[in-house]
Amino acid sequence: MSLLDKLNWRYATKKFDATKKLSDEQLHTLLDAVQLAPSSAGLQAYRVIVVSDPHVKEQLREAARGQQQLTTASHILVFAAETGLDSAYVKNYIDRIAQTRGVDRATLALFETNISNNISKMEDEARITWNKKQCYIALGVLVTVAAEHGIDTCAMEGFDAAKFDEILGLKALGLTTAVIAPVGFRAEDDGLSKAVKVRRPKEELFIHI
Ligand SMILES: Cc1cc2nc3c(=O)[nH]c(=O)nc-3n(C[C@H](O)[C@H](O)[C@H](O)COP(=O)(O)O)c2cc1C
């Protein structure tokens, strides 16, 4: 099966088979993919909470309009944006580049200044929105790599972010929930698994100039 075939195979899973759990290897493949996702300036100003605790899943389900994906999935990945992205965060990032690539930190000074200046010009809300956008890119990579490995997902934003933040204690970590993805394996009786994809026709979706 090509990757395109696998993207056709995947669908937003409404009901997972609660008896099927991801192996450690499968989970780590997904986490590797999320880690490798691109982000603006490479900042990755988000963290991802990996929920497997049934009690926490139950609480999250209540804060997500009771959607059953949250309790039937093997794991829930909660993408949470950093709320306090500042020059100290950028400094750490630049230190990491210098160390990882073994380059003189001084050669990165302009890059650091540019990023810090851009960030300081943003209002708090705009900065958090920017970080949330990066979460969606990581989500897209997750969904794609999961499909490649025959793992089901459901991207979801139908939840109460403030309640998620409270349940997961995210405020104290300087984080706020952006988007979530239950992951696992589809239930046999999930009706939508066989539904034909509905997409805008190419002539409507694409504008060739
Ligand atoms: C950002 C985002 C948020 C979504 N939120 C929900 C959700 O809260 N509940 C749900 O059942 N599906 C949710 N979906 C799934 C979409 O409805 C689904 O991806 C879309 O209808 C296309 O169908 P397919 O993914 O099965 O091909 C969401 C998808 C995305 C990308």
Side-chain angles (χ1 to χ4, degrees):
M1 246 209 255
S2 71
L3 181 55
L4 279 182
D5 289 333
K6 286 172 177 169
L7 290 178
N8 238 314
W9 167 85
R10 67 144 295 282
Y11 74 107
T13 305
K14 303 296 172 199
K15 184 181 176 192
F16 292 87
D17 181 340
T19 66
K20 293 186 181 162
K21 303 289 174 203
L22 261 61
S23 66
D24 286 350
E25 193 185 342
Q26 287 169 320
L27 179 63
H28 283 111
T29 298
L30 297 187
L31 302 190
D32 281 347
V34 169
Q35 186 187 22
L36 285 169
S39 63
S40 190
L43 286 169
Q44 294 179 290
Y46 49 79
R47 295 182 74 176
V48 183
I49 298 90
V50 182
V51 180
S52 57
D53 182 323
H55 177 63
V56 178
K57 284 183 189 170
E58 196 64 57
Q59 286 178 281
L60 294 178
R61 178 181 177 170
E62 276 170 38
R65 306 182 198 144
Q67 295 183 82
Q68 63 182 336
Q69 291 96 324
L70 283 93
T71 44
T72 55
S74 172
H75 294 74
I76 306 166
L77 270 58
V78 178
F79 294 82
E82 298 276 355
T83 56
L85 174 60
D86 58 8
S87 53
Y89 182 100
V90 177
K91 182 188 169 301
N92 272 341
Y93 171 51
I94 300 294
D95 287 347
R96 185 178 304 127
I97 299 176
Q99 197 183 18
T100 308
R101 294 188 171 155
V103 297
D104 180 359
R105 204 185 180 293
T107 63
L108 301 166
L110 185 61
F111 184 46
E112 179 173 10
T113 306
N114 285 341
I115 299 174
S116 284
N117 284 348
N118 285 341
I119 286 170
S120 63
K121 276 187 221 146
M122 290 182 196
E123 299 288 340
D124 286 352
E125 206 177 310
R127 205 164 44 232
I128 294 168
T129 301
W130 186 51
N131 294 340
K132 285 183 178 174
K133 287 180 187 172
Q134 315 308 317
C135 291
Y136 281 79
I137 297 169
L139 170 76
V141 173
L142 168 77
V143 167
T144 307
V145 172
E148 192 200 0
H149 289 268
I151 299 167
D152 287 300
T153 57
C154 185
M156 297 176 77
E157 48 187 12
F159 58 86
D160 183 330
K163 287 198 183 133
F164 264 56
D165 292 355
E166 197 183 312
I167 293 163
L168 299 169
L170 297 187
K171 199 173 174 189
L173 297 173
L175 297 167
T176 187
T177 308
V179 68
I180 65 169
V183 299
F185 300 97
R186 62 189 69 179
E188 292 231 345
D189 61 346
D190 186 358
L192 275 175
S193 66
K194 308 222 167 33
V196 178
K197 290 246 169 281
V198 180
R199 291 295 190 267
R200 294 182 84 169
K202 287 200 179 74
E203 58 277 18
E204 196 181 301
L205 183 61
F206 300 109
I207 300 174
H208 293 274
I209 296 175

